[in-house]
Structures are given as C-alpha cells and as structure tokens.
Amino acid sequence: MLTRNDIVEKALALDFGDVGFTTAEPFEAQLEYLRNHQQEYGWTEKVGLGLMAGTDPRAVMPAAKSIIVLLESYFREAFPSTLEGHFGRCYLDDDRVTKDALALRIKAFRSFLREHGIDSKVPFNLPHRAAALRAGMGTLGKNALLYSRRAALKSSWVLPLTVVVDREWAPDSPSGGLGCPDWCRNVCVAACPTKAIKGNGAIDPRKCISFMTYFGREITPRELREPMGLYVYGCDRCQDVCPRNLSWLSRERAMNARAEAKSKDFDLRALLHMDGAFFKSRVWPHMFYMSPNNLWKWKMNVARAMGNSLDDSYVPDLIRACEENGDDRLRGMIAWALGRIGGSHAKGALERLLAGSSGVVREEIEAALGRA
Ligand code: SF4
Ligand code: SF4
C-alpha cells in the first residue's frame, strides 16, 4: 500500500516542486463565488471551460477519495527577450498539445499510481489554485495568484496540477489568505495596466490582458489599446513587479532551447502575415486558445503591439496586412496602429486607405488621422 511519503518521493523525483493532499470534497466556496460573479465568469461556461462542474471532483471521478496536488515550477530557464516582451511566460514552453515535456512527467506519475492499483484523472477544470490552498501549499497574492510555500523560491511562478484519485490519505491542513507583506504598497494593483486586480486577492478576468488577448470577440476597445502595450498573448506584469517574486526573477538561467528554436515563428512580422497553414503547424501547437478561425484576433493583437512599439519600421508591414486581410476588426486596429506610430509614411497610407473604406475601418482611420 502506497504511503503519502512514497507519493511525495515519487513526485519530487519526477521534478515537481511540491506535493500536497486534500480531500475530494466539493469546492463549495468556489462554486458560490462563481455563482455570485456570473458577470465576470459567465463567459467561462460559454467557451466550455466548465468551471462550475469542476468544483465537484466526483463529477470527474465518482469514486474520488483524494486529490494529490502537484506544483510545477515554471520559468526555470530563460526565454528570448523578444518572446518575453509579447507572450506570457507560462505559454512559452506549454506542451498541452505537443505532450512531449510536462505531460510525460504527469503520465509517469499516473503510471506509478496505476502500478499500485490507484486510478487517477487529471481534469483541466478543477479549481487548481483552491485545491493547492486546501492542500496547504501556499498563500494568495493580491494579484490572485498562488504563491508557493516552498517551490520556485516561494514565488508565484508555479502551476498547480490536480490528480484526482480513488484512494484516501490524510489531507494536509489548508492554508490560505493573503500572504503579502504590509510594506509592499500593492505594487501589482498599481502596475496592472487594465485595472483588473481588485486588491483583495481577486481579479476581474474580463479586464485582464490575458483574457482580452485570446477571448475577446470584438475589436479591442480604444481606451484599452495603449494599456495592453506589447502583449500579444497573455501578460506577466503583475508577477514581474511583485517583490515576492524577486528571488526567482533574479536567478541565473540557461536559455530554454525549445523556446529559442521556435522564436522566429513568433516574430511579430511572421505572425502578422501568417496564413492558416503556418498557424496550424507553427503557432497553434504551442498557443492554442484561439482557433484557426480566429487568425484575425492573433493579427489584431500583433497590430496593436506593433502600434504600441512606436517602431516605424513596422509601417510597411501594417499597410501590406491591411491590403491583404478582409476582417474589419483587424483592419481597424491596423489603422489605429498606423496612427499611433505616426509620421508621414503612416499618414499617407491612412489617407489612401480612407478612400475605399467604410464602417468601423473608416471610423478608425478618421480617428487615426485626428478627424473623428
Ligand atoms: S496578468 Fe496583466 S492584465 Fe492580468 S491582472 Fe496581471 S497585470 Fe493585470
Ligand atoms: S505586488 Fe505586493 S500586493 Fe501584489 S501580490 Fe506581490 S506582494 Fe502582494
């Protein structure tokens, strides 16, 4: 019969940063929170995340008796700065599609359990952070992230993974509450460019850049375009500024070879001009929240980032993309980006594009030319 200690030893041997145990009882407080914040979280049901169903582990495995929580420390290796400037780090070595890195370690852990007669499931929709807190594995930050009690130098650069099992072990004592030092002065709240952080350990996901980059459906509202800055997919700002993360951020790191190898595919110009085949083979396997039907959204995010870069070497690319793409949300953002970069080349292009434009594209061009 496997003991808790056997499991901890196996998980650490597989290079997980920490391990905790909790019961398979439903996460009632989480369900209540979701019910009371439907305006902020209702969209999660529409896009199929199933967060409400995930609050009951027995909906995933009727025989569930415990949850083993594994903490994966990420950002252990360095990423090219060209990637870090535009993408959240947790996506820069994400193998949820390719299944050739972390997935193999999870598989090995589950095989170990199976060899000892234990059935397991690794659901995507369980409240991972709540499970980790219930398993005593850390505290919350005001930015709503889990800060580990020991992995990744007690920082927030951790991903909790839940393994629901049909075996009972004594649970760990829950932890929780905010673990932020009084002297911090809410740096994350002040630094969040879109005011998504409420300051009490919760965020409004609809205002978070991460949400807006992949789940937004319309052209990004004008007042959010500058605050969203250079991010194309995800955002790390509230982690980068946090003093609880300083030790982990300042570690020396070797370059992540996988991220380095794909970095040219994630160059802004490559993304702005990509076709469906390029997207499916080079981009989607690594960042998959947007489907091939939403290439316009990828490109719109890229156009906004190019505009905020203020780099006029992007002007010819933006003009070309406006001529080659038909989606008005993208073309409208390109007009905004040209206006933001400014200069005679961009202005001349906007004047030319105005002649054949209508609707939202025309509005954006007129605004970019200062005529709205
Ligand atoms: S990830 Fe970015 S946008 Fe989202 S809460 Fe943190 S700082 Fe704000
Ligand atoms: S920046 Fe300050 S308030 Fe925000 S999570 Fe870090 S320590 Fe807490």
Side-chain angles (χ1 to χ4, degrees), residues 141-143 147 180-181 184 186-188 242-244:
K142 287 187 183 168
N143 54 9
Y147 283 74
C180 298
C184 171
N186 302 335
V187 179
C188 59
C242 176
R244 298 175 75 182

Side-chain angles (χ1 to χ4, degrees), residues 99-110:
K99 301 201 183 304
D100 53 359
L102 172 60
L104 297 178
R105 287 162 47 226
I106 296 172
K107 196 173 168 191
F109 183 71
R110 294 184 67 199

Side-chain angles (χ1 to χ4, degrees), residues 11-12 16-22 67-72 128-140 146-151 154-155 158-162 172-176 244:
L12 297 181
F16 290 103
D18 197 7
V19 195
F21 295 79
T22 186
I67 301 171
I68 304 170
V69 185
L70 304 173
L71 272 200
E72 169 71 349
H128 299 90
R129 189 192 61 179
L133 292 171
R134 203 164 80 181
M137 300 174 80
T139 56
L140 273 181
L146 172 74
Y147 283 74
S148 169
R149 64 182 168 181
R150 65 172 66 103
K154 304 188 178 183
S155 71
V158 288
L159 302 171
L161 308 160
T162 51
D172 288 302
S173 301
S175 56
R244 298 175 75 182

Side-chain angles (χ1 to χ4, degrees), residues 77-226:
E77 293 177 311
F79 299 114
S81 57
T82 47
L83 291 181
E84 284 188 330
H86 304 299
F87 305 94
R89 292 187 185 93
C90 68
Y91 304 114
L92 290 179
D93 197 12
D94 183 340
D95 79 328
R96 282 178 286 175
V97 171
T98 55
K99 301 201 183 304
D100 53 359
L102 172 60
L104 297 178
R105 287 162 47 226
I106 296 172
K107 196 173 168 191
F109 183 71
R110 294 184 67 199
S111 299
F112 169 74
L113 296 175
R114 197 174 315 116
E115 283 158 17
H116 291 84
I118 299 167
D119 195 15
S120 67
K121 293 255 193 262
V122 182
F124 70 92
N125 60 340
L126 227 80
H128 299 90
R129 189 192 61 179
L133 292 171
R134 203 164 80 181
M137 300 174 80
T139 56
L140 273 181
K142 287 187 183 168
N143 54 9
L145 294 167
L146 172 74
Y147 283 74
S148 169
R149 64 182 168 181
R150 65 172 66 103
L153 301 179
K154 304 188 178 183
S155 71
S156 65
W157 302 97
V158 288
L159 302 171
L161 308 160
T162 51
V163 184
V164 181
V165 291
D166 61 353
R167 189 68 56 87
E168 193 160 5
W169 289 282
D172 288 302
S173 301
S175 56
L178 292 170
C180 298
D182 291 341
W183 50 261
C184 171
R185 302 167 66 92
N186 302 335
V187 179
C188 59
V189 179
C192 175
T194 49
K195 300 185 174 65
I197 301 177
K198 296 180 180 179
N200 59 354
I203 67 164
D204 181 342
R206 298 165 306 168
K207 293 185 182 167
C208 178
I209 290 173
S210 298
F211 166 89
M212 287 190 281
T213 51
Y214 30 72
F215 290 128
R217 291 181 177 179
E218 301 300 332
I219 186 167
T220 305
R222 221 172 273 171
E223 69 277 10
L224 292 174
R225 297 175 194 168
E226 266 191 61

